[in-house]
Each structure stands twice: as C-alpha cells, then as structure tokens.
Amino acid sequence: MSNDANVAFEALVAAYYEAWFRYHPERAVDVGVDGYAHLLRPYGDDEIGALVALNEKLLAELELIRVDDLSPDHRIDLDVLEGAAHLEIRELRESDWRHHNPGEFLPVDAIHQLFLKPVKDFPGALRARLAQIPAYLRGARSHLLETPSLVPVLWAESAHQTARAGVDYLRSLEQHPRVLHELGRDGLHGLVEPAAQALTEFAHFLESDLGPQCEGDFACGRAHFDRLLAQRHFLDVDADALHAFGRELFDITARNLRDVTRELSGQDDPAVLLARIRAEHPAADDLVEAYRQAMERARAFVVAQDLVTLPEAQVLHVVETPSFLRHQIPFAAYVEPAANDPEQAGYYYVTPPEGDALLAEHHYLGIAHTGVHEAWPGHHLQFVTAHRRAESRSLPRLLNPSATLYEGWALYCESLMHEQGFLGRPESRFVLLHDRLWRALRILIDVELHTRGLPLDEAAERMVETLGFTYSQAMGELTWYSMAPTVPMGYATGWGLVNAVRDRLRLTPGFELKAFHDGLLASGSIALPLVVRHQFGEPTWQSARNMIFGARS
C-alpha cells in the first residue's frame, strides 16, 4: 500500500466530482457539497456529451491505477466509482432520460431540497433556481417532443401529477416561515408566479400534448438489469437466480403467514386478521404525533438494550409528506441528512390519508413497525452513522448507495426488534410476515417487470390479491418500481443476506450482536457484498451468498 497512490486517487476523485456536480447540481446539495445550489440540472446535447466524455476519461484513468497500492477503503471507492461510471455511460447512450422521463425535468425537488439541506446563501440559491424555471421547462418540451413515443404512459402520468401538485407548493413559498424570516415578505417578488405559471403550462403540456403520443416501454431489459446487479449492488447473480430466491422466500413466507393467521384468528384467510389489526388506528389529526411517539419509544428501546452504537448528534423531524410527493409516498418515507449537516437532521414523512380506508393502513402495529424501519434502529440511525466516519462518507459512497444495505438493514431491524421484544404483541408476527411477503413479492415483480414483460395491470392485481392493497396503492408502488430497477429487490435480498452473515458469524467464538451491527454499518450505504467482504472477510461473504443463492455450479 502506497500513501502516494492513495493521495493521487483522492485527487482524481475530487477533480472528477468537481466536474460531475456541474451536471448533477441537485446531487451536490444532497450530499452537502457547496457551490452548486444555484443551478438546475443541464440537459443540452453539449452537456450530455461532456458528461459521457467525463466518465470515459475517468474510466481510462482508473485503469492506470495499481489497485494493490491503494488502502482497502480506497479500493472499495474505486470499485464503486468504476461501476457508477460504466452505468451512467450506458444509461445515457441507451435510454437518455431527456427522451424518456418527463419527471426528471420537474424542478420542484430542486426547490424543496434547499429547505432540507444546509445551503450557503439560501436566499441567493432559491432566487436563482426559481428564476431559471420558465426557460428550463420551455426547453424540456423540445426534448420530449423529439421522440414522444419513447415516453412510457405511466411516467407521463406520474410527472403530470407531480407538476400539478408542485404548482401549489411553489405558490406557498412566499408564506414559508423561512422565506419570511430570511428574505422578507417581498423577497421572492416576481419569481414565484412566473415559475408556478410555467409549471402549470408544463402540466398541461404533459396531459394534452405529450400524453396522447406516449407509448414507451419502461422496462430496462435483461442485460441492463443484470448489469445493475453486478455494477451497483456487486451481486454475482443474474435475474433468474434472484427470481428463484424471491420465489422460494415468497412461498415459505406465504405458508408461515397462513400458519400464524390460523393460530391467531382460527381462520386461514389473512384478510380477516388484517382487517382486525387495521381497525386499531389513531385519528387522522393525531397521526403525525402517533408516528413521533412510536419513533421515540423505539429509540429508547435501542438505547436500553444496547443493540448498536448510536450517533451522538442527530435530529429526526416527523412531518407531513409535502403535497407534491404524496402520490409517490402512500404511507411514510425517510429523507436522510446531508453528510455535512452538523445537526444530522433527517425527515420522517407521514402521508395524511384521504378517507377512512387509507387511515386504516396507519394502524398502531404498522406505525410501530414503520418507526423501526424508517428511524430506530433503521434508516435514520444507519445513514447518520454512515456520515460520521470519513471513510464511509466519501463521495463515491454517498452518491452510490445500494438498497441491499440501506433497505436490507431496515428490514432486518424489524425482525431484530421483534426477537428482542420491542415488537412484542402476538399480532406483530403476522405483520412481520405480511410485510416480508410484500418484500418477497417485490423481488418477483422487479425481475418480471423489467426482464419478463409482466404487464402493469397484472402486477397490480397480484399486489391487491396478495397484500390487500387498493388498486391505486398498488399502482403507486409500481410507478417507482418502474423507475428504479433493482431497488425493490434490495429489501428482501439484503434482509436475507444480513441474516445469513449473522448466522455464519454466530458460529465463531466471541460473537457479539452489537459488534456485528456496528461492523455492518461501518462502511456506509454501499452494496452489501462490498461491506461484508471488507468487515467480515471473503469466506463469510461466500458462505452467506451461497446460503441465499446456492453454490455456483
């Protein structure tokens, strides 16, 4: 290992990202890098060509590095960076987002993130981004109309919903407490209404001009799906092996769910027991507070049981989901802090239900389980922990998370907190199995949507019949599945691998549960195979991998 090689690699990474962020300014804000908060994502042909060339240059430079001269942490960063560059080149060349996904042009998230992340010159950044919106959206129309038939109907409809809700959000900005405090009552004068009007017109364009011409296929295809498994998640399995694991897990979980249902209710039909559980829920006006209290109880339990090392400084705000995101987040979600946020302030979104049927989805047991998954010891603890070590908050790791780690850990936490006694009601076994069945079904649908031609309506019906979802809830889920191939599979796949690693390590003398958890979270949010190899060794990874996917033939 050479210190000169490590220093040179760090310089290469810094120079690459300084340029890369010009094409991804919102990602810069997400991870806490200053200097880009006044920009929107560029989409001109010259910029896209320059981004491809930047990645090609990076790959050429990475090939010249003697990997053995790097520290183990830098080798991980090199692997992650190399995989990400290959994927971005392929995606830009084979499925250019400018001609496929109108939602990528919407500037609402670019505005909203300025209120969530620490930003230097917040007033200047907000004004600059708002001022760019009218021209930005006019240019977006031109790109989308070049090949409108490539746009999937589902993506156009989702973008239309987001745009319509985003109009109200933009118009609310002038009364936002932070705007009033830092910019004054007239601080956004002449900026909000032109931006809102431009978004209104863009929503109309999506519905009336683009929508009737959309007939694109959202499936990423078998080759790219396998490429994502290898270069983002570092899994040496293909879509068929993944599907086989999902099918086995689904069948086992379905049998266990029937057994528990019969034990708890005397019947075989899970819908009956689910209806009984859903009858116990807070009033709509008390929903956010119920989630907050459940989160606090979970944290107190983790502290008392000493299950994992807790970060010293952190804040978790439990708030209603912003209106423009509610069609994408039917229940709850988590937004992690920027790595440079001294407070490490995360946001736990809770979506207000529309009607009693949806309110029943926020039952007390579900709220307790969700608090474990999203907050303690799930996402919030994991992401804040990742931000506390210099190695785990490197830019390659912050910008290339894998659902096998961050979602696998969060799902594992639910079963952990059940076995430790926090989720102790008898019905919690039913909820755990029901939710595990949901995640197993995600593996099957993820593979089948993107590699086997599964129609959306059939996928939605499977979710309705298997999980008791409404059709609209199922379509909300499927919308993000369609846009994020290999992310849905990460929940149950990561859960299975974490348990397999733990089972292997339990056989070693001196195994300690807390030390296992700390080790698992010590390398950041990157692909679980990389973390396990680094923290627990290659033999442990191979054993866990073979337990889940079978030994290589």
Side-chain angles (χ1 to χ4, degrees):
M1 184 175 70
S2 165
N3 188 57
D4 289 344
N6 290 313
V7 171
F9 176 70
E10 290 175 0
L12 172 61
V13 171
Y16 167 74
Y17 277 118
E18 183 179 5
W20 190 84
F21 284 132
R22 294 201 293 269
Y23 310 105
H24 299 282
E26 293 170 46
R27 300 300 307 279
V29 174
D30 280 338
V31 299
V33 175
D34 294 325
Y36 303 88
H38 62 294
L39 300 173
L40 295 177
R41 182 183 186 182
Y43 52 67
D45 290 342
D46 289 344
E47 287 91 348
I48 297 300
L51 178 56
V52 171
L54 176 68
N55 281 306
E56 290 175 333
K57 180 174 181 289
L58 172 71
L59 291 174
E61 292 174 328
L62 292 179
E63 286 184 2
L64 301 176
I65 293 175
R66 288 174 52 89
V67 177
D68 290 344
D69 289 342
L70 297 178
S71 70
D73 275 302
H74 283 118
R75 290 176 205 168
I76 291 176
D77 285 355
L78 186 149
D79 287 340
V80 170
L81 188 57
E82 185 176 41
H86 277 297
L87 287 171
E88 185 163 51
I89 290 171
R90 288 276 190 171
E91 288 168 353
L92 288 172
R93 285 179 170 165
E94 297 179 4
S95 57
D96 187 339
W97 65 271
R98 300 173 300 165
H99 304 299
H100 290 80
N101 193 349
E104 292 289 321
F105 289 105
L106 296 177
V108 187
D109 277 329
I111 299 300
H112 183 59
Q113 71 168 178
L114 300 178
F115 291 84
L116 301 182
K117 311 293 184 179
V119 173
K120 288 184 178 179
D121 188 20
F122 166 77
L126 180 58
R127 290 189 184 107
R129 285 189 171 180
L130 284 171
Q132 294 170 60
I133 288 176
Y136 192 85
L137 292 178
R138 284 195 298 271
R141 297 190 209 184
S142 299
H143 282 289
L144 291 167
L145 287 176
E146 287 181 18
T147 51
S149 62
L150 294 179
V151 178
V153 172
L154 183 65
W155 292 5
E157 291 174 347
S158 176
H160 177 250
Q161 284 184 278
T162 303
R164 288 187 60 187
V167 171
D168 292 335
Y169 172 74
L170 290 181
R171 287 188 168 133
S172 73
L173 291 179
E174 289 184 295
Q175 300 306 313
H176 192 285
R178 185 172 179 186
V179 170
L180 292 173
H181 176 69
E182 296 190 34
L183 287 86
R185 188 165 298 278
D186 297 321
L188 298 180
H189 179 71
L191 295 172
V192 167
E193 189 52 36
Q197 184 59 37
L199 192 55
T200 300
E201 294 170 0
F202 191 69
H204 179 76
F205 159 78
L206 293 173
E207 181 178 38
S208 301
D209 299 334
L210 184 68
Q213 303 181 68
C214 294
E215 52 186 24
D217 183 5
F218 57 75
C220 73
R222 173 62 182 266
H224 191 61
F225 195 93
D226 285 347
R227 193 179 299 125
L228 288 166
L229 292 178
Q231 295 180 331
R232 178 167 295 159
H233 306 293
F234 291 83
L235 289 168
D236 59 345
V237 299
D238 61 13
D240 291 338
L242 180 67
H243 191 272
F245 164 67
R247 170 52 62 188
E248 181 180 21
L249 179 62
F250 182 90
D251 291 343
I252 292 172
T253 306
R255 288 196 298 271
N256 292 339
L257 183 63
R258 283 193 297 271
D259 292 343
V260 169
T261 300
R262 192 179 302 117
E263 177 187 336
L264 294 176
S265 70
Q267 304 182 51
D268 289 337
D269 185 4
V272 176
L273 182 55
L274 191 59
R276 192 174 84 195
I277 291 170
R278 286 173 173 168
E280 299 179 11
H281 58 78
D285 291 344
D286 299 329
L287 196 59
V288 171
E289 182 59 27
Y291 274 89
R292 182 180 295 109
Q293 291 178 8
M295 175 269 291
E296 291 171 350
R297 287 194 295 270
R299 184 181 187 280
F301 184 89
V302 171
V303 172
Q305 299 300 117
D306 198 26
L307 294 176
V308 61
T309 299
L310 270 68
E312 295 180 3
Q314 59 75 36
V315 179
L316 183 56
H317 302 289
V318 185
V319 298
E320 288 190 359
T321 305
S323 58
F324 67 91
L325 292 174
R326 290 178 186 177
H327 69 285
Q328 301 174 23
I329 303 172
F331 307 122
Y334 173 73
V335 179
E336 71 270 20
N340 70 332
D341 181 358
E343 293 186 346
Q344 285 299 288
Y347 287 83
Y348 184 173
Y349 287 157
V350 178
T351 300
E354 297 181 1
D356 291 341
L358 290 180
L359 179 59
E361 298 291 344
H362 298 274
H363 52 83
Y364 283 114
L365 269 178
I367 291 172
H369 283 249
T370 303
V372 165
H373 185 105
E374 304 291 353
W376 300 100
H379 286 322
H380 184 60
L381 183 148
Q382 184 265 310
F383 278 107
V384 173
T385 299
H387 295 164
R388 289 303 178 192
R389 288 183 69 243
E391 294 83 1
S392 58
R393 65 169 184 266
S394 69
L395 287 176
R397 301 192 198 193
L398 291 174
L399 292 161
N400 298 287
S402 166
T404 58
L405 188 293
Y406 64 83
E407 293 297 358
W409 165 258
L411 191 59
Y412 163 79
C413 286
E414 295 182 43
S415 54
L416 170 71
M417 293 287 273
H418 172 65
E419 71 183 33
Q420 294 293 321
F422 178 73
L423 301 173
R425 283 182 55 179
E427 294 87 352
S428 277
R429 287 186 296 148
F430 174 87
V431 174
L432 278 174
L433 289 167
H434 182 271
D435 287 354
R436 191 176 304 159
L437 191 70
W438 174 18
R439 278 32 178 257
L441 185 59
R442 276 182 173 170
I443 296 177
L444 301 178
I445 291 176
D446 194 7
V447 173
E448 293 174 27
L449 280 178
H450 288 286
T451 74
R452 301 187 180 187
L454 175 66
L456 275 172
D457 57 345
E458 290 186 21
E461 289 298 338
R462 283 166 67 180
M463 299 181 82
V464 170
E465 293 172 9
T466 304
L467 304 172
F469 283 10
T470 66
Y471 190 82
S472 63
Q473 287 170 336
M475 288 304 297
E477 282 269 310
L478 291 169
T479 298
W480 78 258
Y481 294 7
S482 74
M483 296 179 181
T486 73
V487 173
M489 72 86 201
Y491 292 70
T493 303
W495 167 85
L497 288 168
V498 170
N499 279 292
V501 172
R502 191 176 82 162
D503 289 345
R504 157 84 184 211
L505 294 175
R506 275 188 185 279
L507 302 176
T508 61
F511 173 82
E512 293 183 357
L513 188 61
K514 180 180 180 181
F516 165 64
H517 294 154
D518 287 349
L520 198 64
L521 301 186
S523 296
S525 306
I526 52 172
L528 191 57
L530 296 177
V531 172
V532 175
R533 286 189 176 104
H534 183 59
Q535 294 292 332
F536 307 114
E538 181 69 23
T540 298
W541 163 248
Q542 291 300 331
S543 174
R545 179 239 180 259
N546 293 342
M547 287 175 66
I548 298 301
F549 298 113
R552 297 177 186 84
S553 57

